[in-house]
Amino acid sequence: MTDGRNAAKRLITSTAERGHFLHGPYPATHFGPKACVLPNPTSVMHIQDPASQRLTWSKPPLNVLIIRKIRDETLLEPFKELCRFLVEEKHLMVYVEKKVVDDGSLMTDDSFSAIRNQLCTFREGYDDISDRIDLIICLGGDGTLLYASSLFQGSVPPVMAFHLGSLGFLTPFKFESFKTEVDKVFEGNAAIILRSRLRVKVVKGMFQRNEQLFSTQGNGIAPHNHINNEAGKITLQLQVLNEVVVDRGPSSYLSNVDLYLDGRLITSVLGDGVIVSTPTGSTAYAAAAGASMIHPNVPAIMVTPICPHSLSFRPIVVPAGVELMITLSPDARNTAWVSFDGRKRQEIQHGDSIKITTSCFPVPSICCHDLVYDWFDSLAQCLHWNIRKKQTRLTDNFIINQHALYNYYII
């Protein structure tokens, strides 16, 4: 019995040290200084029942970051109401971006000046607030959640998103009852969905510009001497929530890039480009390009071509644990361009590479109801999924006539 317990203990320890799903990296379950997923002591495998994904607080949250959609006057009043509630009633420290506080309408509002003076401000790219924030509250559309994700390149605090934008697929909460909803989150035990992100590296000069080196072995695997890690220079590392898009940019030529999976050349993409997306991103650009929509809890990476010059190039789904690499094909006539969640767009030239895999730092998005209902509700309300005119039922007289006609021919 003792040996059995020791073996079980070793199994749990080795699994924890390995830190991976059966099909991908095991995500971090601590979000910011005080939040984490409610531990499940009976679970040995790292594939958690979605119903058990509940938020708990090790200590009461003290610092809240508010992300507000800028250049939208309709959000001024909701923003001021939320700030008053958090500062005056909840006695919390509220962080906002400096350009939000410097808004002309807020600066001239004397009734809000006392609250404005208590707000902590920061500037993107200059001030690091990643280790100070306990909770993020978004006011706006899906873009506010994407922006919040970009501010935290490591562990992300829990995100509560209110639907005050145009689409609102990722923002399940309605602002009319914001006080009640925020109180529920502070009490803990709220349902959360762990939205996986992509860890992306852009490496400049990783490959030598040489036709012989660009050739592959007979089994499709790139020889080790293709890669010169010492020569390669990582110019950008990002955590991406929706998708990485590689396209042909302003060129009139087809994009021509090679796609590798765990070092093996899978295919070359000839077309307008290719989208590598998370399950969360499967309902964004990838859906417009013809991909399937995947629930965010599924550990996977999607590869979707953009207008491929091939009748047989269908979107594919690969396990979350693999590493994808995209490079320009040796015979490409032009460079390519890459963007990350629609931002930081840059040119990719011969010798450059883009490495993509699943990140261990997901975005813990707080659910309004639960992670299954919220997703299907968003499909129906925002994308009108499977909406059609209802088929009318048959009348009783029609059914009787059909039976009579059937019996007539049988007799």
Side-chain angles (χ1 to χ4, degrees), residues 167 242-243 245 272 275 277 280-294 302 304-308 314-315 383:
L167 184 62
N242 259 3
E243 74 269 306
V245 178
D272 280 353
I275 305 167
S277 61
T280 295
S282 69
T283 52
Y285 193 177
S292 296
M293 294 180 289
I294 300 179
M302 299 186 64
T304 307
I306 307 172
C307 297
R314 304 297 302 157
L383 300 183

Side-chain angles (χ1 to χ4, degrees), residues 87-359:
V87 173
E88 295 181 343
E89 297 186 35
K90 307 302 289 185
H91 307 292
L92 299 173
M93 189 71 69
V94 175
Y95 287 77
V96 295
E97 199 166 5
K98 190 176 187 303
K99 61 184 177 183
V100 172
V101 177
D102 292 342
D103 185 285
S105 300
L106 288 178
M107 296 292 289
T108 57
D109 187 350
D110 294 334
S111 64
F112 189 70
S113 60
I115 300 295
R116 187 178 65 247
N117 293 334
Q118 297 182 60
L119 300 178
C120 298
T121 62
F122 72 96
R123 294 176 300 167
E124 182 190 9
Y126 292 92
D127 304 313
D128 183 13
I129 59 171
S130 58
D131 59 343
R132 306 180 203 170
I133 305 302
D134 302 321
L135 174 68
I136 304 172
I137 298 180
C138 296
L139 303 178
D142 295 345
T144 58
L145 187 63
L146 295 174
Y147 180 66
S149 169
S150 70
L151 294 176
F152 295 85
Q153 294 299 300
S155 175
V156 185
V159 181
M160 185 179 191
F162 287 94
H163 178 25
L164 292 168
S166 53
L167 184 62
F169 193 91
L170 306 178
T171 54
F173 289 95
K174 304 217 179 310
F175 191 77
E176 290 76 11
S177 57
F178 78 94
K179 291 186 178 181
T180 303
E181 300 295 350
V182 170
D183 283 336
K184 287 180 182 177
V185 170
F186 284 166
E187 290 170 3
N189 203 35
I192 61 171
I193 185 166
L194 302 182
R195 298 186 179 276
S196 64
R197 295 194 290 178
L198 299 175
R199 189 185 74 213
V200 186
K201 294 180 181 179
V202 177
V203 184
K204 295 289 186 179
M206 183 174 179
F207 294 92
Q208 299 179 27
R209 184 71 175 102
N210 185 299
E211 297 298 332
Q212 181 179 357
L213 289 179
F214 269 102
S215 64
T216 56
Q217 297 173 351
N219 57 7
I221 299 178
H224 291 295
N225 60 3
H226 276 209
I227 300 173
N228 187 347
N229 290 322
E230 294 181 359
K233 179 182 179 182
I234 299 175
T235 60
L236 186 65
Q237 296 189 70
L238 285 175
Q239 303 280 335
V240 176
L241 178 57
N242 259 3
E243 74 269 306
V244 178
V245 178
V246 180
D247 60 66
R248 59 190 177 96
S251 173
S252 59
Y253 290 113
L254 289 175
S255 171
N256 188 357
V257 296
D258 290 338
L259 178 65
Y260 295 82
L261 192 151
D262 285 340
R264 182 185 295 270
L265 178 62
I266 299 301
T267 190
S268 295
V269 182
L270 277 166
D272 280 353
V274 63
I275 305 167
V276 179
S277 61
T278 63
T280 295
S282 69
T283 52
Y285 193 177
S292 296
M293 294 180 289
I294 300 179
H295 190 277
N297 235 54
V298 177
I301 299 175
M302 299 186 64
V303 179
T304 307
I306 307 172
C307 297
H309 199 252
S310 167
L311 297 179
S312 60
F313 197 164
R314 304 297 302 157
I316 60 172
V317 179
V318 297
V322 304
E323 181 181 73
L324 296 170
M325 185 172 68
I326 299 175
T327 66
L328 274 180
S329 295
D331 51 354
R333 296 183 177 183
N334 56 291
T335 61
W337 288 77
V338 60
S339 60
F340 314 91
D341 283 343
R343 307 181 74 201
K344 300 186 183 296
R345 186 169 171 81
Q346 61 180 267
E347 190 174 16
I348 298 298
Q349 301 178 344
H350 285 288
D352 302 342
S353 69
I354 307 164
K355 291 187 172 183
I356 306 169
T357 190
T358 301
S359 169

Side-chain angles (χ1 to χ4, degrees), residues 43-61:
S43 176
V44 175
M45 297 176 65
H46 290 315
I47 298 181
Q48 194 171 15
D49 177 9
S52 69
Q53 289 181 188
R54 315 292 297 187
L55 178 67
T56 186
W57 302 97
S58 60
K59 295 179 182 178

